[in-house]
Amino acid sequence: MIRFDHVSKRYPGQRDALCDVSMHLPAGELAFLTGHSGAGKSTLLKLIALIERVTRGTALIDNVNLATLRRQRIPWLRRQMGIVFQNHQLLYDRSVFDNVALPLVVAGYRSTELGRRVRAALKKVGLLERERAMPITLSGGEQQRVGIARAVVHRPKLLLADEPTGNLDPELSAEIMELFVQFHQVGTTVLVATHDIALLKRFRYPVIALAGGRVAHDDLAGESA
Amino acid sequence: MIVRRKRTRSQRGEPRRGPGRGRGWAAPLLGWLEEHPRAALASLGRLWRNPGSTLMTALVIAIALALPGALWILLTNTQAASEGWDSGAAISVYLEADLNEQAVAEVEQALAGIDGATLVRTISDDEALAEFREMAGFDAALAELTDNPLPYVVVVEPTATGAGATELGDLADRLAGVTGVDRAQVDLEWVQRLHALLALIERGILLLAALLGAGVLLIVGNTIRLDVLNRRSEIEVIKLIGGTDAFIQRPFLYGGFWYGLAGGIGACGLLILLTALLATPTAELAEAYGSGFRLQGLGAREAAFLLLGGGLLGLIGARLAVGRHLRAIEPA
Ligand SMILES: Nc1ncnc2c1ncn2[C@@H]1O[C@H](COP(=O)(O)OP(=O)(O)OP(=O)(O)O)[C@@H](O)[C@H]1O
Ligand SMILES: [Mg+2]
């Protein structure tokens, strides 16, 4: 699903944020991306989501080369994935329902199918009764779950999460992580960036560790074919 | 060993059909048909929730559209009022000097015999001189004269009403050909001057309309530009979720259209108000001149033009502003 070959990323006027990163996340896997602050976790996710472009090397998502993808095709690629952001990135002038519906609206779903799917996603994250609420009236954990519902409502093949449990207590973190496991179990490829060691210990899934922009450890290294 | 296989769609990096994979072609099309009214209503609702700034912008556009509209109405009314004036045009036929009464009567008869000519009245040399005397300043000069140097003048009108300038010219030529006639002069010049002036004014109004139209483009463009900047974070989120440029700019384009349409409606309102205020004084003025002329207000065609033109200008203004600014906003 995700394949990096000697990928480097340099922000203008800085040293490489990612340096010679090679890795492979097969379809249907759930893996953790970890590393110290500034190791390049967010940068790697941004490359996958095409928020940033690769400086050197090849990055393939589902065999699509990110380096040569035209600008107009970016929306199409982003619709294949769901992204959970640490800062939620919700629209605070719209209801929970409208926020979760956004990926479907963008993709041109009809309202009948849209309502069904949005409620299914909200039910999954346990927020069905809050669909009319405004995001600002929700707690941090609830907002994070709205973000997750929005990331999965269009049933993406690939789910990316950047510090999804960033400032939540351990109980809530585990609950959120439990959701990712459920999506993994129905066949979604999931990549979770986190520096929450306790979470890594509790959920024993493959870990890719970055340090200073390089791959320091890769549980999946042997498996890639 | 290298195995050559036909590459699948996704390996070539091509989109799977439709957003939901295998939903067929009808569903996206229907979704798209649903999306347009949704974007139109959403942008209308957004304007509705900010009535203050929306009204201000619409009013500025309305005034910009109403100004050339008012001038246009004034022009068409002036044209309508001056329409009948051509037919009132007369030809002054100057007879040769030193004709006696008998000869004058003969010439009058000959003139009356000309096809299409109606004699209105004859001004004798004495009457003409008397008229001159009444004008201040001429008295002393005329006292020096022993003879009356003025000729008889026969005023002739075309029998047919609404005769054009060329027909009048032809008639004058024929009148001038009668023996005993010195020359025939069409008193039309001022009408022609008026028409030339009106044509000039019409051109001026069109230029002014073009200028103010460009102004409307800039007003809407700037309003939409601020709108885009205000909703920057929202645009970023929608881009992150996979919204295309077309999707993101759609509500802004509708917004521009609504601004322009509201401006057009406002302009129609202003013009209706204006003509209503001027109707009574105009009627009174016309009556004083014994004319049945009534002020023609905003016609259906002009109103449609204002509404459509306003909406179109708004749309174009929004399109000019939004493309550039959307491109600059990328999630980071
Ligand atoms: N937009 C940017 N412009 C310039 N430099 C950047 C930008 N984003 C990240 N960097 C740099 O790239 C490096 C990697 O940053 P990144 O955000 O990927 O780290 P991270 O592993 O996500 O850290 P954290 O755990 O703190 O989120 C850092 O040195 C950072 O300063
Ligand atoms: Mg980060």
Side-chain angles (χ1 to χ4, degrees):
Chain A
M1 175 64 73
I2 303 175
R3 187 186 286 277
F4 273 41
D5 254 324
H6 305 288
V7 169
S8 296
K9 170 67 191 176
R10 183 191 292 260
Y11 291 106
Q14 276 180 332
R15 60 178 190 80
D16 284 1
L18 285 180
C19 185
D20 198 29
V21 170
S22 295
M23 63 113 171
H24 178 217
L25 181 66
E29 283 283 351
L30 190 164
F32 286 113
L33 183 65
T34 188
H36 61 85
S37 180
K41 305 181 293 292
S42 297
T43 301
L44 194 143
L45 293 185
K46 283 178 183 173
L47 289 182
I48 297 170
L50 275 157
I51 297 166
E52 296 289 348
R53 290 283 194 158
V54 169
T55 312
R56 260 173 290 122
T58 4
L60 302 176
I61 305 294
D62 205 13
N63 288 311
V64 175
N65 190 338
L66 298 186
T68 56
L69 194 75
R70 279 178 298 126
R71 187 186 168 278
Q72 298 95 298
R73 308 270 289 132
I74 292 176
W76 162 75
L77 191 85
R78 284 187 185 148
R79 285 179 204 177
Q80 323 268 321
M81 48 180 97
I83 313 173
V84 180
F85 304 92
Q86 184 178 353
N87 55 354
H88 318 315
Q89 298 272 29
L90 300 178
L91 298 180
Y92 288 95
D93 60 344
R94 303 185 191 195
S95 68
V96 166
F97 182 97
D98 288 345
N99 267 282
V100 175
L102 212 52
L104 301 179
V105 172
V106 152
Y109 277 76
R110 299 182 63 196
S111 51
T112 42
E113 198 177 351
L114 184 137
R116 205 167 46 72
R117 287 208 183 191
V118 170
R119 296 210 172 82
L122 281 174
K123 193 169 175 207
K124 189 97 196 142
V125 300
L127 283 175
L128 190 50
E129 71 286 358
R130 306 302 302 272
E131 63 170 276
R132 294 269 147 255
M134 296 307 270
I136 205 74
T137 65
L138 303 180
S139 73
E142 286 171 326
Q143 290 189 30
Q144 189 62 281
R145 281 188 280 157
V146 173
I148 293 170
R150 188 185 62 186
V152 299
V153 71
H154 55 302
R155 296 180 197 153
K157 296 180 289 185
L158 175 63
L159 187 56
L160 304 175
D162 194 359
E163 314 274 8
T165 60
N167 33 30
L168 303 180
D169 62 55
E171 254 341 281
L172 225 44
S173 299
E175 251 176 58
I176 300 264
M177 198 52 221
E178 215 39 86
L179 283 171
F180 290 127
V181 171
Q182 285 172 23
F183 295 122
H184 162 60
Q185 280 164 353
V186 297
T188 311
T189 312
V190 187
L191 184 60
V192 180
T194 182
H195 52 224
D196 186 345
I197 303 297
L199 205 65
L200 298 187
K201 292 219 164 103
R202 189 159 167 184
F203 293 84
R204 307 206 63 85
Y205 284 96
V207 173
I208 300 167
L210 293 176
R214 291 174 184 276
V215 178
H217 170 83
D218 186 353
D219 284 337
L220 293 164
E223 293 175 31
S224 50
Chain B
M1 190 177 84
I2 300 166
V3 182
R4 284 197 177 272
R5 277 183 308 155
K6 228 178 162 184
R7 294 203 299 167
T8 65
R9 252 170 179 271
S10 69
Q11 278 172 326
R12 289 196 305 266
E14 282 171 24
R16 288 145 201 284
R17 220 172 347 127
R21 266 173 270 166
R23 287 196 305 142
W25 57 270
L29 181 69
L30 288 172
W32 187 81
L33 285 179
E34 228 178 63
E35 164 55 23
H36 267 269
R38 180 155 45 193
L41 283 179
S43 64
L44 194 60
R46 196 171 290 277
L47 297 186
W48 196 256
R49 283 191 293 279
N50 300 305
S53 62
T54 304
L55 269 181
M56 280 299 279
T57 308
L59 201 61
V60 173
I61 297 170
I63 291 170
L65 292 175
L67 193 59
L71 291 175
W72 183 260
I73 287 178
L74 200 66
L75 177 76
T76 50
N77 274 293
T78 312
Q79 280 168 340
S82 67
E83 201 108 281
W85 296 351
D86 292 22
S87 60
I91 300 170
S92 298
V93 181
Y94 296 88
L95 306 192
E96 283 166 5
D98 309 327
L99 293 182
N100 58 28
E101 307 243 336
Q102 169 84 41
V104 169
E106 276 168 23
V107 176
E108 273 182 343
Q109 209 134 41
L111 288 174
I114 298 269
D115 207 25
T118 303
L119 265 55
V120 180
R121 64 195 178 105
T122 303
I123 304 164
S124 73
D125 51 353
D126 292 336
E127 282 168 341
L129 193 62
E131 254 179 56
F132 263 110
R133 284 233 160 86
E134 275 169 28
M135 291 190 234
F138 280 102
D139 241 3
L142 294 175
E144 303 284 312
L145 294 172
T146 48
D147 262 354
N148 185 349
L150 297 173
Y152 269 70
V153 179
V154 181
V155 179
V156 175
E157 273 183 4
T159 313
T161 52
T166 45
E167 289 148 62
L168 279 171
D170 286 350
L171 183 59
D173 286 346
R174 273 181 282 138
L175 293 170
V178 172
T179 39
V181 171
D182 181 24
R183 62 200 169 85
Q185 187 183 327
V186 181
D187 298 331
L188 193 66
E189 261 170 57
W190 70 274
V191 178
Q192 281 172 331
R193 278 188 204 144
L194 178 68
H195 283 307
L197 191 64
L198 288 179
L200 184 70
I201 290 173
E202 182 174 341
R203 186 155 302 187
I205 291 174
L206 290 180
L207 280 175
L208 185 72
L211 213 61
L212 287 168
V216 171
L217 283 186
L218 293 181
I219 295 163
V220 175
N222 196 47
T223 309
I224 295 296
R225 183 182 67 87
L226 292 176
D227 216 13
V228 168
L229 294 181
N230 278 335
R231 292 166 66 190
R232 190 188 179 97
S233 54
E234 181 183 346
I235 292 169
E236 283 179 4
V237 169
I238 295 176
K239 280 197 174 186
L240 277 176
I241 277 164
T244 57
D245 286 353
F247 176 88
I248 294 169
Q249 73 184 24
R250 205 168 288 143
F252 292 106
L253 297 187
Y254 273 112
F257 175 76
W258 294 131
Y259 275 128
L261 191 67
I265 292 170
C268 288
L270 285 176
L271 292 178
I272 288 167
L273 187 72
L274 198 73
T275 43
L277 289 176
L278 291 179
T280 318
T282 318
E284 281 170 7
L285 187 70
E287 241 146 65
Y289 277 88
S291 152
F293 178 76
R294 289 290 176 274
L295 193 66
Q296 283 295 310
L298 187 71
R301 258 192 32 207
E302 283 95 344
F305 184 81
L306 277 177
L307 297 185
L308 248 128
L312 203 65
L313 282 176
L315 191 64
I316 296 170
R319 182 71 191 75
L320 290 178
V322 89
R324 218 154 17 97
H325 291 98
L326 276 192
R327 205 167 264 269
I329 297 176
E330 281 297 339

